[in-house]
Amino acid sequence: MTKWTDERALEVLTFDLENEMFAVEASQVREILDLVTVTEVPHSDPFVSGLINVRGKVVPLADLRVKFGMAEKAATIDTRIVVLDLELDGDPVTVGIRADKVHEVMEVAASALQETPKVGLRWRPEFIRCIGKRGDNFMVVLNITRIFSPMDAAGGEARTAVLEQPAA
Amino acid sequence: MSGSDPAQIFLEEAHDLLVQLEDTLLDLEDRPADAELIDTAFRALHTLKGSGAMFGFDALAAFTHHVENAFDVLRKTKRAPTRALIEVALAAKDRMRVLIAHPGTAGGGEGDAILAELSRVMADSASGDDGPVADRGHAAGWRVRFRLPVDAMETGTNPLLLLDELGRLGRASVAALTDDVPPLEEINPNACYVRWDVTLETAQPRSAIEDVFIFVMDDMELSIEELAGESVTAVSEAAAAVTLAGEAVAVVPAGAAAEQKPAGAKSADTIRVPAQRLDELMDRVGELVIAQSRLKQIAAASADASVKSVAEEIERLSLDLRDTTMGVRMLPIGQLFSRFRRLIFDLARDLGKEIDLVTVGEETELDKTVIERLSDPLIHLIRNSMDHGIEDPADRAAAGKPAKGQITLSARHAGAEVRVSISDDGRGLDRARIRTKAEDSGLLAPGAKLSDNELFQVIFQPGFSTAATVTSLSGRGVGMDVVKRTIDGLRGTIDVASSAGRGSTITLRLPLTLAIIDGLLVRVGRGRYVIPLTAVEECVELSTEEDARSRGRSFLNIRGDLVPFLRLRELFNASQPADRYQKVVIVSAGEMRVGLVVDQVIGDHQTVIKSLSKLHADVEIFSGATILGDGTIALILDTVHLVEYGQQQEDRLKAAS
């Protein structure tokens, strides 16, 4: 789990969401698509409200904005879909997430990674693996498996959980 | 690859052998005198023992050895197995399964108990009669000529051991015929070129000699001739030359070899493939079909004749490929039926009833997944028939029926569906009792007029049971609702027919495959949805007056029946304005009907079903998704849930008014 604490660098894919830079582990990324036609699934969780066709597979499309309490935003010419291969409860699951803009795959040295600070973040700490540095900016490396795992009984509100211990 | 792991191969082989053994034992119950069956059982046991020891299943080998011995005795003495022996052998077979699954559980008291029982049963049956040991010992001896297959030694046959075994039967003089041995430079040191001519002076019957070759008989040439007196050359008239080589089966003795041959040939033509690879193949083919329909659209818009002809060619090929792939996933239902023979054998004993199982249409093919999921519902239905349907032998005699009850499992194709039915010749369903019980528990309105089939559907309601007493088998009122749910899940339906005193028949109507459905493609707002065609009853237009009027009550008058309807636009929160001429698709689930208001009925659509990921597991109104010709995704409506939803809404409306 704590791959970033050993001496090797962590390879991540960086992308933008609402002027914040986020990153996911590159090993979880299957491919990056231009925005395709999205089929809405009525009565579904707003977080995964759509389906897309990824090479003949029906793949759920998630919008991280819902999880991070950001306002909805229309697609732009830069909007991309990052297709991820995850393992949820032991089963492989392919999901897509929307990104306002995808930057690059980069290596982050272990020294440039820091543990999630306990205060100063608006988001649920267990969603975040660590904070990385990219030039002068920070990026938030997501614990993407945790984000897609079913919510605990406490439910989805982000603010209430801020003072919890970060996920080990 | 796990497929090449020898221990894994042994496990698969052992599984097959145990299935074969069980089948053979159950066959023996019907035809105890069939020597061929005893041979088959013996061979299965022998192979289990041998391969088991080879792969380190020592406990299994040791245990199986005793059972094998018992069958060897039966085989040699031509004694028919008793029912008690078959029961012990079945118990022993179960024990072997345990020993294979958990090799560590060696030396359990259970195994010893089975072996003790086995030797007791063997002793019993031996004292009963000496058995018709073939006393045709008048023959002075036999002339045995044989040639082993060239690769015999590579496959583990040792000719010396065969000759030794022959020698043990009597005084043998062996001549090796070496004329087929090639020149030295062409000799393969592992091949067997020698033929043998053995003159055997013995009182043993022909079968004793055949037994020596029992494991190699299928591939070898063997001729056994009776010796008249001391003359080596004379051939008795009674002797039949037996040649068992490849296709050239000249005279086949009424023995094991005749049946063995086709079975052997068949196994060489089939291969084992992990089921997951078939699923992957089906996925790929599904994608191909989708890509092909996109190509078709492009070709239709193109003016280039060669593009059109290639597109047509690809269409034909990919549809053929789809059919072939689906065929690969089809399995005969017989393998499922044969699983129930044991169940019926055991249950009949527990219940003290005599019951025959008749199976019809075992060769009917069904999708692998359907067959797997049918197992549980069929077990429930068979138990029910045996416990409630078929009467005690005394009651049957009183009703003038044969003491032995009969359960018939049958399967047949009917159009795009398969009908699997379970019939018994028992007492039939008790209409009055079902009705009373249903009215008491509030499942039926008192005095409601119902057809038999409608009334009998009540037995599939959760918690419904007419049984006065709860037995270990059934009567708790769980089970039949599980049957119903499983069959619904397979998109099938259940028909019940029964006549008092004559028995009942429950027919499961199932789709051929789960991978593809015929659907009706409809449009609601901007979204497109697929409604399974089996659920669709009819489509009618929703006139503007009806539309305006029905804002208040949401009922349609379909030829005098009031049918509630759901506006899918509202259900799916469609934002676009509605079409001027909306359509209503009437769908049914069981006895209930509901109308679904859509903007447009696009048409027939054959659909490769893709299941939704677990992230959408909570969305019940869709059973899956499919990819349309233009690459977009359409959701498949789950009509059972939609109808339930519609009925609930109707109930709420009624309650509110």
Side-chain angles (χ1 to χ4, degrees):
Chain A
M1 185 70 209
T2 50
K3 202 168 162 189
W4 50 280
T5 50
D6 63 26
E7 290 311 303
R8 278 168 300 154
L10 182 66
E11 225 184 8
V12 296
L13 174 81
T14 53
F15 60 93
D16 274 356
L17 210 58
E18 200 77 6
N19 304 323
E20 294 279 355
M21 190 181 292
F22 290 92
V24 290
E25 244 185 88
S27 63
Q28 292 180 314
V29 177
R30 173 198 278 233
E31 59 187 313
I32 296 158
L33 302 175
D34 286 344
L35 192 63
V36 294
T37 319
V38 180
T39 303
E40 296 293 322
V41 183
H43 294 263
S44 62
D45 182 348
F47 170 52
V48 273
S49 63
L51 294 174
I52 51 168
N53 171 4
V54 180
R55 295 174 207 285
K57 271 183 109 177
V58 175
V59 170
L61 176 66
D63 196 342
L64 293 179
R65 293 166 183 278
V66 176
K67 284 279 171 185
F68 292 126
M70 300 169 177
E72 258 184 66
K73 191 179 159 204
T76 67
I77 196 167
D78 285 329
T79 304
R80 296 287 181 277
I81 293 171
V82 182
V83 182
L84 304 165
D85 282 326
L86 305 179
E87 190 167 298
L88 301 181
D89 291 341
D91 297 325
V93 177
T94 307
V95 297
I97 54 174
R98 258 179 222 262
D100 289 350
K101 183 178 187 156
V102 171
H103 296 285
E104 59 182 338
V105 174
M106 57 181 282
E107 281 196 354
V108 190
S111 58
L113 294 168
Q114 298 171 10
E115 261 194 63
T116 318
K118 287 186 184 144
V119 289
L121 272 180
R122 286 170 288 154
W123 310 304
R124 288 176 69 125
E126 65 264 38
F127 289 167
I128 296 161
R129 276 274 293 279
C130 53
I131 307 290
K133 255 192 172 147
R134 181 181 183 256
D136 291 337
N137 292 322
F138 287 102
M139 64 183 174
V140 178
V141 184
L142 295 171
N143 182 347
I144 206 83
T145 313
R146 182 68 189 80
I147 294 178
F148 279 97
S149 299
M151 282 292 117
D152 41 59
E157 264 316 301
R159 303 301 133 81
T160 56
V162 164
L163 291 178
E164 278 176 17
Q165 286 294 313
Chain B
M1 284 254 51
S2 65
S4 57
D5 177 5
Q8 187 59 38
I9 292 172
F10 167 68
L11 290 179
E12 284 171 13
E13 185 194 347
H15 173 79
D16 287 354
L17 284 169
L18 287 175
V19 169
Q20 186 197 13
L21 180 61
E22 183 172 296
D23 280 352
T24 314
L25 290 172
L26 292 166
D27 282 340
L28 267 177
E29 195 214 345
D30 297 334
R31 287 176 280 143
D34 196 333
E36 192 183 310
L37 289 173
I38 297 178
D39 279 349
T40 312
F42 171 73
R43 262 186 291 210
L45 287 163
H46 184 86
T47 315
L48 263 176
K49 182 182 83 170
S51 328
M54 194 145 71
F55 289 102
F57 291 81
D58 294 332
L60 172 77
F63 179 81
T64 311
H65 173 70
H66 295 286
V67 189
E68 183 201 350
N69 275 351
F71 274 84
D72 199 24
V73 171
L74 286 184
R75 213 162 57 89
K76 294 229 168 85
T77 58
K78 301 267 182 258
R79 216 191 297 150
T82 58
R83 194 183 157 91
L85 177 61
I86 293 173
E87 273 176 27
V88 180
L90 282 170
K93 183 233 115 190
D94 291 345
R95 179 73 191 158
M96 289 172 208
R97 188 173 293 273
V98 173
L99 288 173
I100 290 169
H102 311 284
T105 58
E110 200 188 329
D112 295 343
I114 292 170
L115 291 181
E117 177 70 11
L118 180 68
S119 57
R120 196 184 59 74
V121 170
M122 284 304 288
D124 276 3
S125 70
S127 62
D129 61 337
D130 282 344
V133 177
D135 42 300
R136 8 184 323 206
H138 57 273
W142 303 90
R143 180 165 183 205
V144 182
R145 278 177 285 198
F146 67 97
R147 179 211 292 266
L148 293 172
V150 173
D151 62 351
M153 293 199 284
E154 282 170 33
T155 57
T157 307
N158 185 343
L160 287 180
L161 293 181
L162 293 176
L163 290 171
D164 281 353
E165 215 171 316
L166 277 179
R168 256 177 266 138
L169 295 173
R171 206 159 62 82
S173 59
V174 180
L177 308 177
T178 52
D179 15 332
D180 291 345
V181 178
L184 189 59
E185 57 269 26
E186 288 170 27
I187 279 187
N188 171 357
N190 289 325
C192 175
Y193 299 108
V194 186
R195 288 182 296 138
W196 284 273
D197 186 339
V198 182
T199 310
L200 189 62
E201 287 169 40
T202 176
Q204 296 280 348
R206 168 194 294 268
S207 59
I209 297 166
E210 284 175 354
D211 283 351
V212 170
F213 298 102
I214 190 162
F215 295 108
V216 284
M217 208 151 164
D218 291 348
D219 305 314
M220 69 183 290
E221 285 174 35
L222 173 66
S223 93
I224 305 171
E225 290 163 16
E226 204 166 328
L227 290 180
E230 287 299 311
S231 158
V232 172
T233 46
V235 174
S236 136
E237 279 176 83
V242 180
T243 315
L244 289 156
E247 272 92 305
V249 178
V251 185
V252 180
E259 288 295 304
Q260 219 52 46
K261 200 64 205 168
K266 199 171 163 195
S267 68
D269 285 349
T270 58
I271 53 166
R272 272 175 195 283
V273 176
Q276 194 202 344
R277 282 203 211 162
L278 287 186
D279 293 344
E280 281 169 17
L281 180 64
M282 190 67 217
D283 269 2
R284 297 287 170 279
V285 171
E287 287 168 30
L288 178 70
V289 171
I290 290 156
Q292 174 268 321
S293 60
R294 291 169 69 179
L295 175 66
K296 191 178 161 188
Q297 282 185 352
I298 294 168
S302 152
D304 189 338
S306 59
V307 170
K308 281 185 203 285
S309 84
V310 171
E312 273 169 28
E313 186 77 8
I314 300 236
E315 174 172 7
R316 189 178 59 75
L317 287 172
S318 52
L319 293 184
D320 280 357
L321 184 60
R322 190 193 67 191
D323 291 347
T324 314
T325 313
M326 290 219 287
V328 171
R329 292 173 51 93
M330 296 297 212
L331 293 175
I333 200 168
Q335 57 160 261
L336 181 63
F337 284 177
S338 63
R339 261 188 248 167
F340 300 132
R341 299 177 63 195
R342 177 68 187 280
L343 176 80
I344 289 175
F345 181 89
D346 286 351
L347 280 186
R349 192 190 49 204
D350 293 351
L351 288 167
K353 296 178 183 177
E354 286 182 52
I355 290 165
D356 260 348
L357 173 69
V358 178
T359 52
V360 180
E362 291 104 321
E363 70 290 341
T364 309
E365 290 190 327
L366 260 172
D367 192 275
K368 176 177 81 64
T369 333
V370 180
I371 288 195
E372 278 160 14
R373 285 169 52 188
L374 264 186
S375 173
D376 278 353
L378 283 179
I379 287 175
H380 280 301
L381 292 173
I382 289 173
R383 284 186 167 178
N384 236 43
S385 282
M386 295 188 68
D387 199 18
H388 301 313
I390 296 201
E391 313 90 329
D392 294 330
D395 290 353
R396 289 184 67 86
K401 295 189 203 176
K404 224 172 186 187
Q406 195 178 64
I407 289 187
T408 310
L409 277 176
S410 70
R412 68 191 172 90
H413 284 287
E417 58 181 26
V418 172
R419 299 201 180 147
V420 180
S421 40
I422 300 105
S423 353
D424 62 64
D425 62 348
R427 57 171 75 94
L429 293 169
D430 187 339
R431 286 183 185 69
R433 192 139 128 229
I434 292 174
R435 182 176 276 267
T436 320
K437 203 87 178 188
E439 286 174 2
D440 286 355
S441 49
L443 292 169
L444 278 182
K449 268 190 220 147
L450 292 173
S451 71
D452 270 0
N453 193 24
E454 284 169 332
L455 176 63
F456 293 148
Q457 293 297 329
V458 174
I459 64 176
F460 297 109
Q461 296 284 338
F464 184 84
S465 171
T466 57
T469 53
V470 172
T471 69
S472 65
L473 289 178
S474 47
R476 285 176 205 284
V478 291
M480 289 307 247
D481 63 314
V482 176
V483 173
K484 174 84 177 144
R485 222 176 315 133
T486 315
I487 302 301
D488 281 349
L490 292 169
R491 296 197 316 274
T493 54
I494 308 177
D495 289 346
V496 186
S498 172
S499 69
R502 304 267 295 280
S504 28
T505 301
I506 295 179
T507 306
L508 311 176
R509 295 161 53 167
L510 300 157
L512 269 181
T513 172
L514 293 182
I516 290 196
I517 59 164
D518 272 322
L520 192 67
L521 190 62
V522 299
R523 185 175 58 80
V524 179
R526 248 186 306 251
R528 281 179 292 177
Y529 300 89
V530 176
I531 305 175
L533 211 52
T534 45
V536 174
E537 296 214 327
E538 59 184 314
C539 300
V540 295
E541 193 159 304
L542 185 71
S543 59
T544 23
E545 309 89 74
E546 189 100 47
D547 188 19
R549 182 149 41 87
S550 62
R551 295 260 171 236
R553 58 171 172 83
S554 294
F555 278 106
L556 272 183
N557 184 345
I558 303 283
R559 290 183 294 277
D561 279 348
L562 278 187
V563 177
F565 66 80
L566 292 172
R567 290 171 190 278
L568 292 188
R569 300 179 50 80
E570 287 168 16
L571 195 59
F572 299 159
N573 303 321
S575 49
Q576 264 193 331
D579 275 29
R580 182 137 172 238
Y581 299 107
Q582 294 183 71
K583 307 284 186 300
V584 188
V585 180
I586 313 282
V587 297
S588 66
E591 299 301 314
M592 301 199 286
R593 292 199 291 173
V594 70
L596 305 174
V597 182
V598 302
D599 283 328
Q600 188 192 354
V601 174
I602 300 173
D604 238 6
H605 186 79
Q606 227 195 23
T607 301
V608 181
I609 302 174
K610 308 262 178 181
S611 51
L612 295 178
S613 78
K614 61 191 333 184
L615 294 172
H616 286 123
D618 55 332
V619 188
E620 285 190 330
I621 52 176
F622 302 111
S623 59
T626 185
I627 298 176
L628 300 176
D630 61 359
T632 56
I633 294 170
L635 289 156
I636 302 169
L637 298 178
D638 185 329
T639 46
V640 177
H641 275 104
L642 271 176
V643 170
E644 257 170 36
Y645 184 87
Q647 295 283 340
Q648 278 165 15
Q649 213 168 47
E650 185 195 341
D651 292 346
R652 267 201 301 277
L653 278 171
K654 274 185 188 158
S657 62

Short mmCIF file of all heavy atoms in Angstrom, two decimals, chain B residues 14 43 53 156 162 173 247 252 276 278 312 357 368 372 388 417 421 433 483 493 560 613 616 638:
data_model
loop_
_atom_site.label_atom_id
_atom_site.label_comp_id
_atom_site.label_asym_id
_atom_site.label_seq_id
_atom_site.Cartn_x
_atom_site.Cartn_y
_atom_site.Cartn_z
N ALA B 14 -10.55 -37.09 -11.92
CA ALA B 14 -11.20 -37.79 -10.81
C ALA B 14 -12.66 -37.39 -10.73
O ALA B 14 -13.54 -38.22 -10.48
CB ALA B 14 -10.48 -37.45 -9.51
N ARG B 43 -13.36 -50.39 -13.75
CA ARG B 43 -12.31 -49.63 -14.42
C ARG B 43 -12.19 -48.23 -13.84
O ARG B 43 -11.09 -47.72 -13.66
CB ARG B 43 -12.58 -49.55 -15.92
CG ARG B 43 -11.78 -50.59 -16.65
CD ARG B 43 -11.94 -50.41 -18.10
NE ARG B 43 -13.30 -50.75 -18.48
CZ ARG B 43 -13.63 -51.24 -19.67
NH1 ARG B 43 -12.71 -51.42 -20.57
NH2 ARG B 43 -14.86 -51.52 -19.96
N ALA B 53 -2.82 -42.67 -6.48
CA ALA B 53 -1.54 -42.99 -5.86
C ALA B 53 -0.42 -42.20 -6.54
O ALA B 53 0.50 -41.71 -5.90
CB ALA B 53 -1.28 -44.49 -5.97
N GLY B 156 2.53 -46.98 -21.12
CA GLY B 156 2.62 -47.60 -19.81
C GLY B 156 2.20 -49.06 -19.74
O GLY B 156 2.09 -49.62 -18.66
N LEU B 162 1.55 -58.69 -18.91
CA LEU B 162 0.37 -59.33 -19.51
C LEU B 162 0.64 -60.82 -19.69
O LEU B 162 -0.21 -61.66 -19.38
CB LEU B 162 0.05 -58.69 -20.86
CG LEU B 162 -0.43 -57.23 -20.83
CD1 LEU B 162 -0.60 -56.71 -22.25
CD2 LEU B 162 -1.73 -57.11 -20.07
N SER B 173 2.33 -71.78 -23.23
CA SER B 173 3.55 -71.75 -24.02
C SER B 173 3.47 -70.54 -24.93
O SER B 173 2.50 -70.33 -25.63
CB SER B 173 3.71 -73.03 -24.81
OG SER B 173 2.61 -73.20 -25.66
N GLU B 247 -10.72 -49.12 -36.68
CA GLU B 247 -12.08 -49.18 -37.22
C GLU B 247 -12.51 -50.60 -37.54
O GLU B 247 -13.68 -50.89 -37.67
CB GLU B 247 -12.16 -48.36 -38.52
CG GLU B 247 -12.47 -46.90 -38.30
CD GLU B 247 -11.22 -46.07 -38.16
OE1 GLU B 247 -10.37 -46.39 -37.28
OE2 GLU B 247 -11.08 -45.11 -38.90
N VAL B 252 -17.85 -58.39 -32.91
CA VAL B 252 -17.75 -57.78 -31.61
C VAL B 252 -18.47 -58.67 -30.61
O VAL B 252 -19.64 -58.99 -30.78
CB VAL B 252 -18.39 -56.38 -31.62
CG1 VAL B 252 -18.29 -55.76 -30.24
CG2 VAL B 252 -17.69 -55.51 -32.64
N GLN B 276 -14.20 -19.45 -18.38
CA GLN B 276 -13.94 -18.01 -18.49
C GLN B 276 -13.50 -17.62 -19.89
O GLN B 276 -13.86 -16.55 -20.39
CB GLN B 276 -12.86 -17.66 -17.47
CG GLN B 276 -12.73 -16.17 -17.22
CD GLN B 276 -11.36 -15.85 -16.67
OE1 GLN B 276 -10.64 -16.74 -16.21
NE2 GLN B 276 -10.99 -14.59 -16.74
N LEU B 278 -14.45 -19.01 -22.62
CA LEU B 278 -15.64 -18.97 -23.46
C LEU B 278 -16.38 -17.66 -23.27
O LEU B 278 -16.88 -17.06 -24.22
CB LEU B 278 -16.57 -20.13 -23.10
CG LEU B 278 -16.13 -21.51 -23.53
CD1 LEU B 278 -17.22 -22.51 -23.24
CD2 LEU B 278 -15.81 -21.52 -25.01
N GLU B 312 -21.37 -6.52 -46.38
CA GLU B 312 -22.32 -7.63 -46.34
C GLU B 312 -21.63 -8.94 -45.98
O GLU B 312 -22.14 -9.73 -45.18
CB GLU B 312 -23.02 -7.78 -47.69
CG GLU B 312 -24.24 -6.90 -47.81
CD GLU B 312 -24.77 -6.85 -49.24
OE1 GLU B 312 -24.56 -7.84 -49.98
OE2 GLU B 312 -25.38 -5.83 -49.60
N LEU B 357 -37.12 -42.77 -11.86
CA LEU B 357 -36.89 -41.51 -12.59
C LEU B 357 -36.82 -41.81 -14.08
O LEU B 357 -36.09 -42.70 -14.51
CB LEU B 357 -35.58 -40.88 -12.13
CG LEU B 357 -35.15 -39.65 -12.94
CD1 LEU B 357 -36.08 -38.49 -12.68
CD2 LEU B 357 -33.72 -39.26 -12.61
N LYS B 368 -24.79 -22.77 -20.92
CA LYS B 368 -24.09 -23.25 -19.73
C LYS B 368 -24.59 -22.56 -18.45
O LYS B 368 -24.85 -23.21 -17.44
CB LYS B 368 -22.61 -22.97 -19.93
CG LYS B 368 -21.71 -23.29 -18.80
CD LYS B 368 -20.28 -23.02 -19.20
CE LYS B 368 -19.89 -21.55 -19.11
NZ LYS B 368 -19.91 -20.98 -17.79
N GLU B 372 -26.42 -24.23 -15.13
CA GLU B 372 -25.91 -24.13 -13.77
C GLU B 372 -26.96 -23.58 -12.83
O GLU B 372 -27.14 -24.07 -11.72
CB GLU B 372 -24.68 -23.22 -13.73
CG GLU B 372 -23.42 -23.97 -14.14
CD GLU B 372 -22.33 -23.00 -14.58
OE1 GLU B 372 -22.45 -21.79 -14.33
OE2 GLU B 372 -21.36 -23.49 -15.19
N HIS B 388 -44.57 -34.36 -1.51
CA HIS B 388 -46.01 -34.05 -1.51
C HIS B 388 -46.76 -34.76 -2.61
O HIS B 388 -47.92 -35.10 -2.46
CB HIS B 388 -46.23 -32.55 -1.67
CG HIS B 388 -45.59 -31.73 -0.62
ND1 HIS B 388 -45.69 -32.04 0.71
CD2 HIS B 388 -44.82 -30.63 -0.69
CE1 HIS B 388 -45.01 -31.15 1.41
NE2 HIS B 388 -44.47 -30.29 0.58
N GLU B 417 -37.38 -20.99 -27.07
CA GLU B 417 -37.27 -21.31 -25.65
C GLU B 417 -37.13 -22.81 -25.45
O GLU B 417 -37.35 -23.61 -26.36
CB GLU B 417 -38.46 -20.76 -24.87
CG GLU B 417 -39.79 -21.24 -25.34
CD GLU B 417 -40.95 -20.64 -24.55
OE1 GLU B 417 -40.79 -19.53 -24.00
OE2 GLU B 417 -42.00 -21.27 -24.49
N SER B 421 -39.68 -29.84 -17.95
CA SER B 421 -40.78 -30.12 -17.04
C SER B 421 -40.49 -31.28 -16.11
O SER B 421 -39.74 -32.20 -16.42
CB SER B 421 -42.09 -30.32 -17.79
OG SER B 421 -41.89 -31.06 -18.94
N ARG B 433 -57.58 -26.86 -1.07
CA ARG B 433 -56.70 -26.54 0.05
C ARG B 433 -55.83 -25.34 -0.28
O ARG B 433 -55.61 -24.46 0.57
CB ARG B 433 -55.84 -27.77 0.35
CG ARG B 433 -55.13 -27.62 1.66
CD ARG B 433 -55.13 -28.91 2.43
NE ARG B 433 -53.77 -29.22 2.82
CZ ARG B 433 -53.20 -30.41 2.64
NH1 ARG B 433 -53.86 -31.39 2.08
NH2 ARG B 433 -51.98 -30.60 3.02
N VAL B 483 -37.56 -20.96 -6.29
CA VAL B 483 -37.70 -21.44 -7.65
C VAL B 483 -38.18 -20.31 -8.55
O VAL B 483 -37.59 -20.03 -9.60
CB VAL B 483 -38.72 -22.62 -7.71
CG1 VAL B 483 -39.00 -23.00 -9.15
CG2 VAL B 483 -38.20 -23.79 -6.92
N THR B 493 -40.50 -18.47 -17.37
CA THR B 493 -41.79 -18.48 -16.70
C THR B 493 -42.09 -19.91 -16.26
O THR B 493 -41.48 -20.86 -16.73
CB THR B 493 -42.92 -18.00 -17.62
OG1 THR B 493 -42.89 -18.79 -18.81
CG2 THR B 493 -42.78 -16.55 -17.97
N GLY B 560 -61.46 -3.03 -22.30
CA GLY B 560 -62.26 -3.28 -21.11
C GLY B 560 -61.46 -3.48 -19.83
O GLY B 560 -61.98 -3.34 -18.75
N SER B 613 -22.04 -2.79 -13.97
CA SER B 613 -20.99 -3.03 -12.98
C SER B 613 -21.59 -2.94 -11.58
O SER B 613 -22.72 -2.50 -11.40
CB SER B 613 -19.90 -1.98 -13.13
OG SER B 613 -20.34 -0.77 -12.54
N HIS B 616 -23.41 0.04 -10.13
CA HIS B 616 -24.81 0.31 -10.43
C HIS B 616 -25.72 -0.79 -9.91
O HIS B 616 -26.84 -0.94 -10.35
CB HIS B 616 -25.01 0.49 -11.94
CG HIS B 616 -24.49 1.80 -12.44
ND1 HIS B 616 -23.55 1.88 -13.44
CD2 HIS B 616 -24.73 3.06 -12.05
CE1 HIS B 616 -23.25 3.16 -13.65
NE2 HIS B 616 -23.96 3.89 -12.82
N ASP B 638 -35.75 -3.70 -16.72
CA ASP B 638 -36.12 -4.90 -15.98
C ASP B 638 -37.62 -4.84 -15.77
O ASP B 638 -38.11 -4.15 -14.87
CB ASP B 638 -35.37 -4.93 -14.65
CG ASP B 638 -35.61 -6.20 -13.87
OD1 ASP B 638 -36.71 -6.77 -14.00
OD2 ASP B 638 -34.71 -6.63 -13.14
#
